[in-house]
Amino acid sequence: MRHILVFAKTPHAKTPYDRWLAGTGIVPVIVTAHEYADGYAHLPHVYAFADYDTNQLVEKTALRLAREFAVEAVFARAEADVVRAAQLRELLGLPGQHTASALAFRDKVVMKDHLAGGPVEIPAYRKLDSAYTAVEFVAEHGYPVVVKPVSESGSLGTRVIRDEADLDACLAAPWRGSSEIEVFIPGQMYHVDGLVLGGEVAFVHPFRYLNDCLSFRDDDWVANLPLTPQDPLYDRLVKAAQAVLAELPTPPQTAFHSEFWITPDDRLVFCEIASRTGGGMISSMVRHAFGIDLDKEWLYGECGLPPTLGTPSYRPAGALCIPPQSGVLEQLPTGETGAERPECIREEALTGAAGREYHGGVKSGLFLAGYVVDGDTEEEVAANLERVAGWFSDNTRWRRLSAPAPAPAGGTA
């Protein structure tokens, strides 16, 4: 029996590793977070941890298991696991992404150091090691600037600094960890997602955001929509993503999620890239739109199994992620509400429950409700995404924490 160690920071419903590997003779050894453990409980080798992202017993246990089961490969699809998986592979001499590559795809300063002077424009940037650096950078480049953690995902911790008051607030309450500062790039953001197998790009496609990846800051929804090959930006974005992959120490098997701006004066500017599948509902959208499960194909690549993606077909589809509001969730638009579910919904993921208290959006990839929506054309999909967002808002009820108790009927408070 062959074994692969899997860092599984996703629910089993999203990543059913045992079903994907059925019939291959490969058994997954699962290391996961407590909140996902029940979904994998039917498997023979499951090890769950609290405080998964920062608990270093995860690494200690993974090393023991990798040796005990003589694993042939290590698989990790979550941003929090990219470096720990790479370090484990390197320590054990296993194939796949090693530490230098992982850091180039995870640390935004290391990433841009690789790309500086290359074929794709990048923003002016510096590692933010002190307040002096921030003051000097602003003096050189002016406002606005952006301060972001070097190794977080989903725009977590990203701050747009527009004036001196914003800068003072940022310096008074800095992000705990390494940060970078870069010039603010105006424009529309796009992302390019794909798959590298055997050192070659096996799938690549560009998408546009409806709203943007910082919409969660305003507790607003964000959506993703594929570009058609006829779109004038299609080839530019694909070539830019391929150029970035060529400049970086790209592993031979990986999914990737990259982001670019198109500025008002039509410049294409690099934002960032990750060696993993995109967050939110992106993987689900790709599966519905192209018939490809990026995570499954990536897993097969890591295991040395032949790909099953074939020749991708295409049907219009989009992804929608809706963050929580601030308050107590009293009602979701389920069948019990009597709200008619829009017929364009092809997949739904609800991560919350009535009675729970929330404090607004946390990061762009985390959501209260996620949907894959289809339509006959890209324009119809875009309209359906907005329609589903409106339907969800109309049929979801919140109780604001600051709201006073209602007055008794027939009287006054």
Side-chain angles (χ1 to χ4, degrees), residues 14 280-289 292 295 317 319 347 372:
K14 185 179 181 72
M281 298 293 287
I282 291 175
S283 291
S284 298
M285 170 185 58
V286 170
R287 189 174 67 252
H288 282 269
I292 297 173
D295 290 307
E347 186 172 329
V372 175

Side-chain angles (χ1 to χ4, degrees), residues 45-92:
H45 311 297
V46 180
Y47 304 82
F49 296 86
D51 303 317
Y52 177 85
D53 286 6
T54 57
N55 187 342
Q56 294 191 43
L57 289 177
V58 173
E59 285 90 334
K60 182 174 184 289
T61 304
L63 177 59
R64 175 179 64 81
L65 294 171
R67 286 172 169 162
E68 178 183 339
F69 289 96
V71 302
E72 299 179 12
V74 174
F75 184 76
R77 69 169 301 282
E79 188 76 12
D81 292 322
V82 168
V83 173
R84 63 171 34 143
Q87 291 171 333
L88 182 59
R89 293 188 195 100
E90 194 163 333
L91 180 63
L92 297 177

Side-chain angles (χ1 to χ4, degrees), residues 31-300:
V31 178
T32 189
H34 270 324
E35 57 264 36
Y36 303 127
D38 287 349
Y40 295 99
H42 62 289
L43 301 183
H45 311 297
V46 180
Y47 304 82
F49 296 86
D51 303 317
Y52 177 85
D53 286 6
T54 57
N55 187 342
Q56 294 191 43
L57 289 177
V58 173
E59 285 90 334
K60 182 174 184 289
T61 304
L63 177 59
R64 175 179 64 81
L65 294 171
R67 286 172 169 162
E68 178 183 339
F69 289 96
V71 302
E72 299 179 12
V74 174
F75 184 76
R77 69 169 301 282
E79 188 76 12
D81 292 322
V82 168
V83 173
R84 63 171 34 143
Q87 291 171 333
L88 182 59
R89 293 188 195 100
E90 194 163 333
L91 180 63
L92 297 177
L94 293 172
Q97 185 178 46
H98 285 183
T99 306
S101 171
L103 290 174
F105 280 88
R106 181 145 167 76
D107 185 307
K108 296 176 180 65
V109 173
V110 175
M111 183 187 300
K112 293 186 179 73
D113 286 347
H114 276 281
L115 298 175
V120 179
E121 181 180 350
I122 63 173
Y125 70 99
R126 283 184 66 181
K127 182 175 182 179
L128 186 54
D129 49 11
S130 75
Y132 304 124
T133 300
V135 171
E136 289 181 338
F137 191 88
V138 169
E140 180 178 357
H141 297 284
Y143 292 111
V145 297
V146 178
V147 172
K148 61 176 73 171
V150 299
S151 59
E152 291 293 341
S153 63
S155 301
L156 183 64
T158 298
R159 303 175 69 161
V160 180
I161 310 299
R162 301 188 182 279
D163 53 31
E164 202 77 5
D166 282 350
L167 181 60
D168 288 351
C170 178
L171 296 176
W175 181 264
R176 300 204 175 276
S178 298
S179 297
E180 70 152 355
I181 186 169
E182 65 181 35
V183 298
F184 176 84
I185 303 295
Q188 171 73 42
M189 180 168 276
Y190 296 81
H191 61 98
V192 182
D193 290 68
L195 190 65
V196 174
L197 297 176
E200 300 292 333
V201 177
F203 171 77
V204 59
H205 201 93
F207 304 78
R208 65 184 172 100
Y209 285 108
L210 301 180
N211 286 349
D212 63 46
C213 55
L214 288 177
S215 296
F216 73 93
R217 290 291 182 80
D218 300 317
D219 299 341
D220 202 359
W221 55 270
V222 61
N224 318 77
L225 187 66
L227 299 187
T228 66
Q230 293 74 38
D231 192 293
L233 293 175
Y234 182 97
D235 285 339
R236 289 177 65 189
L237 288 163
V238 167
K239 289 176 181 177
Q242 292 172 328
V244 167
L245 290 169
E247 293 288 312
L248 292 174
T250 302
Q253 329 289 340
T254 189
F256 63 89
H257 172 71
S258 57
E259 293 180 329
F260 302 87
W261 291 283
I262 300 294
T263 67
D265 57 353
D266 200 38
R267 291 156 42 227
L268 186 152
V269 183
F270 172 80
C271 177
E272 61 189 53
I273 188 170
S275 53
R276 57 169 174 80
T277 45
M281 298 293 287
I282 291 175
S283 291
S284 298
M285 170 185 58
V286 170
R287 189 174 67 252
H288 282 269
F290 300 97
I292 297 173
D293 194 313
L294 293 175
D295 290 307
K296 176 185 174 183
E297 297 299 337
W298 178 17
L299 174 70
Y300 273 37

